[in-house]
Amino acid sequence: MKINGNTKVSKVIKENKEAIEAIVSLNPHFTKLRNPVLRRLLAPRVNLAEAAKIGKCDVEEMLNALVAIGFELEDDLTTEKPKNKPLENEQKDRFLENKKIISLDVRPFLAKGEDPFNSLQKALKKLGKEEVLEILIDFEPIPLIRIQEKKGYVTLTIAEDGVYHTYFKAAATNTSATPLNDIAIQTVSQPEYDELVKTFPGRIVTIDVRDLEMPGPLVKILEAIEKLDDNTGLKIFHKRIPQHLLPELETKKLSTFICPISEGNVMLFITRNNVQSRNK
């Protein structure tokens, strides 16, 4: 297979699984590629040139490591032409015009295995009309962007030297929160939750992620979802409502029922079909 800087990481790994270790050997940052769930989430979103930037290594070094295990270089196409920086800067200037920037670097949270979602939510709640929240992160935070856009925020993401700067500001015309799909994702009482589980006409798999450190809960839930079929329900014990995961569940067209019990204790029930309609 011929490759260049524009080739997606996922395509390279699909062609040859040895590419995972070849890439990981360049920088410890890439060890997450060893996890199949995280690999499916991250690899399709970046090409080799972007991955090299994130891992702070040279794209030629990455390409050479892949050539060493059997890939071929595509002539004169090693990297994508750089974006039009003046145009990108103009877009950024328009987005930030007359706004005060409030910066939050979430990389230390992620490095320690902590979930930065609550800190992000608090920062957004404090955001004034003339302010913009800037998030510094090592990858484009797609799930976070989806969540906040549904709540009425406008976003812009720009990559600079391997760091993603994602900006959030309230929409000019509507800042009210927009709920996620009220059919796909619902909050229910404990009696309603117990009834859903009790009357589910199939087998139920139960997992408990309360004692796992991030990104453990995300990984374990996504792994369990991959194994779901139409006759299986997934019962989850969690410490909190996994807000960053909800857009992914909605995209997969799953029915998700959330039952907050107490502080640090939330139950979820996920199925591939709408439980209510099946039990009528």
Side-chain angles (χ1 to χ4, degrees):
M1 174 183 170
K2 291 188 176 183
I3 59 172
N4 57 58
N6 302 330
T7 306
K8 293 291 185 183
V9 173
S10 56
K11 189 175 181 181
V12 170
I13 293 173
K14 183 178 180 181
E15 177 70 19
N16 186 346
K17 294 293 184 186
E18 292 181 20
I20 296 172
E21 294 306 318
I23 294 173
V24 169
S25 68
L26 300 175
N27 191 299
H29 179 87
F30 297 124
T31 54
K32 59 172 65 74
L33 290 175
R34 288 177 176 149
N35 184 292
V37 176
L38 291 179
R39 187 164 65 242
R40 283 195 293 273
L41 284 174
L42 300 175
R45 294 174 180 163
V46 296
N47 60 34
L48 294 174
E50 292 166 336
K53 268 190 174 183
I54 292 170
K56 295 179 173 59
C57 66
D58 192 84
V59 63
E60 280 74 20
E61 183 181 4
M62 181 172 287
L63 292 171
N64 289 337
L66 294 171
V67 168
I69 61 171
F71 288 92
E72 297 179 51
L73 281 183
E74 193 167 6
D75 295 338
D76 301 324
L77 285 171
T78 55
T79 58
E80 188 180 46
K81 290 182 179 179
K83 290 182 178 180
N84 187 327
K85 280 297 178 183
L87 181 60
E88 188 176 79
N89 290 336
E90 182 181 334
Q91 183 182 18
K92 179 180 174 181
D93 290 343
R94 286 201 306 270
F95 192 91
L96 300 177
E97 187 176 10
N98 298 323
K99 300 288 185 181
K100 178 183 177 182
I101 300 175
I102 308 296
S103 290
L104 178 61
D105 191 342
V106 302
R107 292 172 294 178
F109 290 91
L110 298 173
K112 291 187 290 186
E114 298 176 0
D115 186 350
F117 187 82
N118 288 336
S119 296
L120 293 170
Q121 289 297 98
K122 289 178 182 178
L124 284 169
K125 284 181 180 179
K126 294 179 181 178
L127 203 64
K129 291 182 179 180
E130 302 305 318
E131 295 177 330
V132 170
L133 179 63
E134 176 190 36
I135 302 298
L136 304 179
I137 194 168
D138 287 328
F139 55 88
E140 186 174 5
I142 304 271
L144 176 65
I145 291 170
R146 288 176 183 166
I147 290 170
Q148 302 310 328
E149 287 181 341
K150 284 177 179 289
K151 291 183 176 182
Y153 289 93
V154 181
T155 69
L156 173 69
T157 298
I158 293 177
E160 297 177 353
D161 298 324
V163 177
Y164 284 82
H165 300 251
T166 298
Y167 300 95
F168 298 89
K169 68 178 179 180
T173 56
N174 181 18
T175 59
S176 60
T178 302
L180 291 165
N181 188 311
D182 61 357
I183 296 177
I185 299 174
Q186 300 181 48
T187 299
V188 296
S189 66
Q190 188 165 359
E192 290 172 324
Y193 181 92
D194 292 341
E195 184 66 17
L196 286 168
V197 174
K198 180 181 177 180
T199 58
F200 181 72
R203 75 185 188 98
I204 294 176
V205 175
T206 301
I207 61 174
D208 190 336
V209 301
R210 288 174 292 186
D211 294 331
L212 300 179
E213 295 183 358
M214 285 295 292
L218 171 67
V219 172
K220 191 165 184 177
I221 292 171
L222 288 175
E223 285 177 339
I225 287 170
E226 289 295 320
K227 299 175 184 177
L228 279 186
D229 56 35
D230 291 345
N231 297 311
T232 304
L234 178 62
K235 183 178 180 179
I236 302 168
F237 292 96
H238 208 304
K239 287 191 295 187
R240 62 179 68 88
I241 297 174
Q243 299 283 358
H244 55 292
L245 179 63
L246 298 184
E248 295 290 336
L249 299 178
E250 190 178 23
T251 299
K252 292 177 183 294
K253 298 181 179 179
L254 297 167
S255 294
T256 302
F257 299 89
I258 303 169
C259 179
I261 303 298
S262 59
E263 184 70 26
N265 189 13
V266 175
M267 296 190 299
L268 296 93
F269 188 56
I270 301 174
T271 175
R272 286 205 173 276
N273 291 326
N274 187 280
V275 176
Q276 290 179 330
S277 65
R278 291 176 68 175
N279 291 327
K280 287 182 179 179

